[in-house]
Amino acid sequence: MRSGEDLRKQRRRRVLKGATILTGISKSEVKCTVRNMHSKGAELQVSIEARVPDEFLLYIPIDGIGYKSVVKWRRADKIGVMFLSTEPKPHWHYG
């Protein structure tokens, strides 16, 4: 029998996708890299100085999808997020 941790790791797909954290606060954007993802969330790599709120829209241009996301954990320059829903790209975002 496999533990939940083993199953979680198996379902993750390693990716290397450029993305943008859109906060909606003054239309601010934080560039990031999606390191791995699955249907329910992702691991993001951000600049260590980046100010990332607890909730935001993660836009992945190559997928053309915005993921309404909530932060589940933070470690140095990595952030784990859970996806709440998907949204179209905001009209004010240029990417």
Side-chain angles (χ1 to χ4, degrees), residues 14-32:
R14 287 191 151 208
V15 297
L16 191 60
K17 296 180 180 182
T20 306
I21 294 168
L22 306 172
T23 66
I25 301 166
S26 300
K27 299 177 182 163
S28 81
E29 301 181 4
V30 175
K31 297 292 182 192
C32 66

Side-chain angles (χ1 to χ4, degrees), residues 6-64:
D6 288 340
L7 290 173
R8 182 182 65 84
K9 284 183 178 179
Q10 283 188 340
R11 289 187 188 131
R12 286 184 175 190
R13 289 180 297 130
R14 287 191 151 208
V15 297
L16 191 60
K17 296 180 180 182
T20 306
I21 294 168
L22 306 172
T23 66
I25 301 166
S26 300
K27 299 177 182 163
S28 81
E29 301 181 4
V30 175
K31 297 292 182 192
C32 66
T33 302
V34 181
R35 303 292 305 203
N36 67 57
M37 68 186 299
H38 50 88
S39 62
K40 305 273 190 221
E43 178 183 308
L44 312 178
Q45 185 170 12
V46 297
S47 164
I48 199 118
E49 299 90 26
R51 299 187 121 183
V52 178
D54 291 336
E55 292 188 25
F56 54 84
L57 185 69
L58 176 69
Y59 180 63
I60 303 175
I62 198 163
D63 295 345

Side-chain angles (χ1 to χ4, degrees), residues 77-95:
D77 65 343
K78 305 270 191 316
I79 298 174
V81 299
M82 180 176 73
F83 300 146
L84 302 176
S85 63
T86 58
E87 297 181 11
K89 178 185 84 156
H91 67 279
W92 52 267
H93 183 261
Y94 300 108

Side-chain angles (χ1 to χ4, degrees), residues 64-77:
I65 297 173
Y67 296 92
K68 178 91 172 141
S69 303
V70 62
V71 174
K72 299 307 281 180
W73 56 264
R74 298 173 191 258
R75 291 185 200 112
D77 65 343

